[in-house]
Amino acid sequence: MKYILVSGGVISGIGKGIIASSIGTILKSCGVRVTAIKIDPYLNIDAGTFSPYEHGEVFVLDDGGEVDLDLGNYERFLNAKLHRDNNITTGKIYQHVINKERRGDYLGKTVQVVPHISDAIMEWVERVAKIPVDESNNTPEVCIIELGGTIGDIEGMPFVEAFRQFQFKVKQENFCNIHVSLLPQPSATGEQKSKPTQHSVRALRGLGLSPDLIVCRSRSPMEDEVKQKVSNFCHVGPSQVLGVHDCTSIYRVPILLEEQNVSQYFAKRLGLPIKARKSTLSKWRALADKQDRVHGKVTIALVGKYTKLEDSYASVIKALKHSAIAANRKLDLTIIEAQNLEDNMKIENPVGYYEAWKMLCCADGVLVPGGFGNRGTEGKIAAVHWARTHRKPFLGICLGMQMAVVEFARNELGLKDANSTENCPTAEYPVVIDMPEHTNMDMGGTQRLGKRTSVFKKECLLKKLYKNVDQIDERHRHRYEVNPSFVHQFEERGFNFTAQDIEEGIRMEAIELEGHPFFVGVQSHPEFKSRPLHPSPPYLGFVLASCGKLQAFLQRGCRLSPRGEHLLSTTEDSDSEADYEVGSVMAKKTSSDESVDRLAAGDASVQR
Ligand code: GLN
């Protein structure tokens, strides 16, 4: 097993995760099996209890792990299925060590950060690196480990110490270290400054880790003198200094790195059996070119409540972008604060109210994403009502589907004050109720989480989008569900529950309204499995409906172009066509992702 540690310098939020995933993509395209571990040095056991405002969206894995959204980047870039243990937090490591201490495993010894915590980190990394993450089910050959935060952070110290020891444990030829740093470019002179990088590398060396590669993030391409300077002052050869400047698309990052001979470097440094097979990278280039070329736009209103931080809806936005590219449209996303759509805002915040309604009315499609708690739910219900009665394409994700159920109950079934018990525990008509087995006072990890299989109960649009399969696997994260005792009343009025859980058989997994151009809701979060070349079927259907292309797409048997071409055609592609099948249910071979739109766009607001 070869290990590549990726640490960060100067500031966080410069796209270290994207650079790490891009390196993984490059190696994967050279025929190497790659896995990834993300280390978050905070004390939380996992990301499950985070407010989306803290760290952005909580990403959910097949095994139900609630993890940092960076794991989403790795899954999308590497087309891998990661496990909860691929995300290490200080909390997890301490919990593990303390449990061992309670069991008496340390035989009465004093338990200390070094060696007990550092040993636990090394053991964890070695164990998890071996777990297969792709369909071949073979042990990975390279493990990329991203250390969150920046070098010098107090929380990161035990991890840095663990890796200092680890490089000797696994031997130099199996371990290398990439340091991702920033070249600020003060506007006064416009010059790229290498001093912060020098300091950061000095700090890294002071802790016993020497960089093999220094990746410099910058606004514009790295200047040659700056490269030379970093090389001189940081004690590495010029070929070990790589530049990643802001570019139009994150799909360009792997290409940019490979242009600087990254795969050759690793082949030599780690003795990797690299095959020259670059087809995946050319697909990336084609995707980036396509994204730059597309002219027409599709305007989607995302009616949410964590609207101040786009990362709160990271996977939803990416799934929309994947679908928009497939539909040959630029995504024009308007994020609407749901609360501003509520009636009382007319008086309390008239500007916000009218602006929100204007944005909603101007959108081609309305998406209500997942969420928790009461705030903003009435606004979401108002948005659903508008989309339903104005025949605008609507997609409800998890809470969004639940709110669609509440809206229909109130306005079509005459069940006044129908509600979810999450919003109103004493609702007269509780059309959405809590799932008894998931009600627990402990908030961490107690929801219905991870991959669940649903079975289609009826012929419906959603089933067609999933290529007419009988059952689908998607990821879940919820505590409430549709109350089965009301289902009959809904279905009598053409509001159908089209899919149910395969195990319990009473969990309503999808809704669809008859006679509406596109009114679909799902209890799951299909966005977690969307890929750039393999958009999630409900999202793709929704975006196509929003730009008036859905019917043609269905008539062509779910093909995107009249001649049945796939998303992108690359002549040198040796992979099977399955790579590009849109709407296939089980994740097949794909590549890529996107995620540093922010990195690519150089968006400073993204610094987390
Ligand atoms: N709050 C809702 C529930 O727990 C929806 C959750 C979600 O949207 N992820 O069921």
Side-chain angles (χ1 to χ4, degrees), residues 92-348:
K92 274 187 193 171
I93 295 286
Y94 271 76
Q95 189 181 52
H96 174 77
V97 170
I98 291 169
N99 286 344
K100 274 175 83 172
E101 186 274 331
R102 292 289 84 188
R103 284 202 308 266
D105 290 3
Y106 295 111
L107 305 173
K109 288 233 164 56
T110 309
V111 181
Q112 294 175 296
V113 174
V114 180
H116 301 102
I117 294 291
S118 47
D119 281 354
I121 294 168
M122 290 190 273
E123 281 159 24
W124 191 298
V125 167
E126 281 194 291
R127 174 175 61 81
V128 173
K130 291 193 199 106
I131 302 175
V133 294
D134 64 17
E135 278 155 6
S136 75
N137 232 8
N138 289 326
T139 309
E141 295 159 300
V142 169
C143 178
I144 296 181
I145 307 152
E146 179 193 347
L147 177 58
T150 47
I151 286 299
D153 295 349
I154 291 178
E155 297 95 329
M157 289 300 186
F159 293 100
V160 175
E161 169 57 18
F163 289 110
R164 188 194 63 74
Q165 296 179 29
F166 195 63
Q167 62 189 332
F168 299 110
K169 187 173 180 203
V170 300
K171 306 219 166 53
Q172 282 285 314
E173 64 270 27
N174 298 321
F175 180 89
C176 78
N177 184 8
I178 301 177
H179 193 61
V180 181
S181 180
L182 177 74
L183 298 176
Q185 222 166 328
S187 51
T189 57
E191 251 180 292
Q192 290 176 343
K193 295 297 203 181
S194 68
K195 190 70 82 190
T197 301
Q198 295 175 36
H199 282 302
S200 170
V201 171
R202 192 169 306 150
L204 184 70
R205 286 191 196 279
L207 296 169
L209 287 170
S210 303
D212 293 286
L213 288 179
I214 300 174
V215 179
C216 298
R217 284 279 296 113
S218 56
R219 218 169 50 215
S220 47
M222 184 169 52
E223 290 149 19
D224 284 345
E225 311 87 81
V226 180
K227 183 180 189 146
Q228 197 54 52
K229 205 163 172 187
V230 172
S231 157
N232 285 345
F233 285 94
C234 298
H235 193 62
V236 292
S239 62
Q240 289 165 277
V241 183
L242 311 181
V244 175
H245 59 273
D246 297 348
C247 26
T248 53
S249 159
I250 57 160
Y251 305 130
R252 300 207 185 274
V253 178
I255 302 162
L256 198 58
L257 285 167
E258 186 53 0
E259 278 166 5
Q260 299 171 75
N261 301 322
V262 162
S263 60
Q264 268 173 33
Y265 178 81
F266 286 116
K268 228 157 118 192
R269 171 67 180 80
L270 295 173
L272 287 174
I274 296 246
K275 296 183 206 121
R277 180 175 162 275
K278 302 282 163 50
S279 67
T280 320
L281 290 187
S282 56
K283 289 170 204 164
W284 282 66
R285 191 187 304 272
L287 195 62
D289 289 347
K290 182 170 181 192
Q291 198 177 31
D292 289 349
R293 268 201 318 267
V294 162
H295 283 307
K297 60 174 189 173
V298 55
T299 307
I300 302 293
L302 189 156
V303 184
K305 76 188 260 194
Y306 315 108
T307 53
K308 289 195 189 78
L309 181 68
E310 257 197 35
D311 264 3
S312 309
Y313 297 110
S315 293
V316 170
I317 296 174
K318 282 178 216 317
L320 286 172
K321 285 188 178 165
H322 301 162
S323 299
I325 298 189
N328 259 322
R329 289 282 189 275
K330 253 199 170 58
L331 177 68
D332 173 28
L333 185 72
T334 43
I335 302 185
I336 301 176
E337 177 65 48
Q339 234 176 339
N340 284 346
L341 296 168
E342 294 174 6
D343 276 350
N344 55 332
M345 284 295 162
K346 223 186 275 186
I347 293 161
E348 283 173 35

Side-chain angles (χ1 to χ4, degrees), residues 405 429-433 481-487 490 497 506 508:
V405 168
Y429 300 107
V431 288
V432 176
I433 50 174
E481 63 171 331
V482 173
N483 186 344
S485 54
F486 287 92
V487 163
F490 279 87
F497 294 88
I506 47 157
M508 301 307 144

